[in-house]
Amino acid sequence: MTMTALVAPTVADYEASADLATLVVRTTQNDVVRIAAEQLRLSCKCAHCTRARFDDRFPEAFPGIAITEIGDLGYGLNISFSDGHNRGIYPKPYLLSLAGR
């Protein structure tokens, strides 16, 4: 009997789009997914954003937000935004879930 291991896709490569409004992710299965910077900013799960949501102070939108820096932590990406927010760490499976994968 042959056993086949199923391996979930993960992030193989990434970059910000030329206009900095989208994170472009290439998966290990050669799919390309795009996640809007505003969706990423709204989906931040850092302690600061979590507390702001709890206190009902978290914005409903971030119009015009841009990705200013991306740091690879191995298990996820640390993404900085044009509003100065740089605390968000997005685990790679979470990124793909935001893209509907």
Side-chain angles (χ1 to χ4, degrees), residues 68-92:
T68 58
E69 190 173 340
I70 305 169
D72 193 333
L73 304 174
Y75 68 93
L77 302 179
N78 174 230
I79 302 175
S80 300
F81 298 93
S82 56
D83 66 350
H85 187 71
N86 61 3
R87 300 176 189 186
I89 297 174
Y90 299 79
K92 291 176 180 178

Side-chain angles (χ1 to χ4, degrees), residues 15-90:
E15 66 184 355
S17 62
D19 64 359
L20 305 177
T22 306
L23 178 68
V24 181
V25 176
R26 288 170 198 79
T27 72
T28 52
Q29 294 182 340
N30 294 320
D31 293 326
V32 176
V33 296
R34 291 169 176 76
I35 309 165
E38 184 175 31
Q39 181 183 0
L40 289 166
R41 184 65 181 88
L42 287 167
S43 301
C44 182
K45 291 186 174 184
C46 78
H48 175 79
C49 291
T50 300
R51 183 65 199 197
R53 282 186 195 91
F54 181 78
D55 292 340
D56 217 15
R57 296 181 291 108
F58 195 77
E60 292 183 19
F62 290 93
I65 195 88
I67 297 168
T68 58
E69 190 173 340
I70 305 169
D72 193 333
L73 304 174
Y75 68 93
L77 302 179
N78 174 230
I79 302 175
S80 300
F81 298 93
S82 56
D83 66 350
H85 187 71
N86 61 3
R87 300 176 189 186
I89 297 174
Y90 299 79

Side-chain angles (χ1 to χ4, degrees), residues 3-11 27-31 93 96 101:
M3 296 194 57
T4 304
L6 296 176
V7 178
T10 190
V11 175
T27 72
T28 52
Q29 294 182 340
N30 294 320
D31 293 326
L96 295 180
R101 300 281 171 176

